[in-house]
Amino acid sequence: MKKRVMIVGSGFRGFCDALHLLDNPDVEIHILDSAPFFGGVMHSLDIQGFSVDKGVHIFDSIPVALADVVTEIMDGQVHEIDFVSASAFNNKVTPGFSLPDLASLDDSAVKEKIRAELLALASNVPSTLAGTLQELFAQRYGRTAAEIFSAIFQKVYGISASEVEATAIAQTSMGRLKFLDDPDMLDLKKDPFLDTVLAARRKAVGKVDDFVSIYPSDGDAMKGWCNRAVGWLKSKGVRITLGQKITTIVETDANVTVHTDKDVFEVDTLIWSNDSLRALGAALDIPGDVDGHQYGTPMLFATLLTQADKVRDLTYLQNFDPDQLTYRSAASGRFSHQVRADGVSFVTCECPAEIGSAYWNDPESLGADVWAEIKELGVVDADAELVAADIKRIPVSFKLAKLGYADAFKTFHADVANRHDKVVLRDVVPFFRRDIYLDSAHLSELVA
């Protein structure tokens, strides 16, 4: 008799969990999600007749084995993304680089101070573990660059780097420092310590890995892949139930009974692949609020329609200027192959905004200002015309671990493990798709 395994969550983690468990013929897989659609945040929005991803959700730098599965699900309708990225800081754009480029600083004395602090760190590498992200910036880049990075972090995420755990660096584009031209950066990177914390543009470094980056080419953005993944998984024998919210989970010696607001299911093992630990705690009647130790970054998400031939040939531009409105702007319509018969496509802009601010209360007023900013940044041509704008409030986008999160999660994880043999809660640290995929490969060991 096959072992019945329920995966709670149909996002990318849930998909990868199911994908790896498909290798075991003795397992019967059931995916459950409270959302009425499959794919979590990957499921695109319908805006102005286009399928618009909620941010940049490319299958970025994934292992070839996973790329093969994605391609199979899409019946070959994928195209490789040759990243054309850029970043902006201090009103200057750096092509081919997606991290903050402090080389654009006007004050050469500041750059020399950063260099001196880095060389001091290299001669005496810090041995203590940083508690906060701000401390980690200082340990990696020195005090001067850390202050600049902390200001950037505050702009993008709306919270101080001193209020989040050092592990939050994995969710940022601030994992390395560039503050000089590429030849000078490469020279500094000859030092073993500095090589781990400094950056140069990819073309200067050369190929850095064997991963690939692909995107669906059927014109329906990531939603197309999500919808096709449902049919593909079902063809492999996976049961999928959407639109049902778990109310209670009861474990006995024999099985796990899962009660939803619509049904009751009995399984042998339950895998929690959802990022809401509050929901799991409520279902298991385990106290604690791990989710309360996370900070959800509010964003205003702008979809701006214009003529496709007026959009720069880029994947995305990340704007690290603390005084500007946009963070990440993407030529999403172009790389998702969505252009109307009249030649109109779209770009998207993620704009950090404080809940209750003027823009938050009147989001439509943001459109013209963001349009002017991305013209200045070169995302669209100077003579491009704004055809239409759609601005949506996203109360929670990036989730960051505030101080105390690791301890709260460790306690909650131990409580679940001590009280339940048949409920599997794994570490939720992996953030990038390749890491999630590789992490799921260990799942079979936990449900054997």
Side-chain angles (χ1 to χ4, degrees), residues 5 7 16-27 29 271 440 443-444 447:
V5 176
I7 298 169
C16 288
D17 288 349
L19 181 62
H20 285 291
L21 287 179
L22 282 173
D23 293 334
N24 188 340
D26 298 322
V27 170
I29 306 167
I271 301 167
S440 291
L443 188 61
S444 57
V447 298

Side-chain angles (χ1 to χ4, degrees), residues 111 114-116 118-119 122 177 179-199:
K111 297 178 187 177
I114 292 173
R115 182 201 293 268
L118 281 167
L119 293 175
L177 168 66
F179 69 104
L180 300 171
D181 292 338
D182 294 318
D184 292 324
M185 295 306 302
L186 291 173
D187 186 58
L188 284 172
K189 280 170 67 65
K190 293 176 182 178
D191 177 89
F193 169 73
L194 296 182
D195 184 48
T196 66
V197 301
L198 298 182

Side-chain angles (χ1 to χ4, degrees), residues 229-301:
V230 171
W232 186 85
L233 287 167
K234 287 182 176 179
S235 73
K236 303 291 185 181
V238 178
R239 181 180 178 184
I240 298 176
T241 301
L242 302 173
Q244 293 196 26
K245 181 180 180 180
I246 292 177
T247 55
T248 58
I249 300 170
V250 180
E251 180 179 329
T252 67
D253 292 338
N255 55 41
V256 179
T257 303
V258 180
H259 298 260
T260 74
D261 53 359
K262 298 177 182 177
D263 216 331
V264 178
F265 305 99
E266 288 189 354
V267 298
D268 299 304
T269 301
L270 183 143
I271 301 167
W272 194 263
S273 297
N274 187 303
D275 65 356
S276 175
L277 300 186
R278 183 177 291 129
L280 177 60
L284 294 174
D285 194 24
I286 294 179
D289 185 15
V290 182
D291 291 359
H293 286 83
Q294 288 183 311
Y295 174 81
T297 300
M299 289 271 183
L300 289 171
F301 184 72

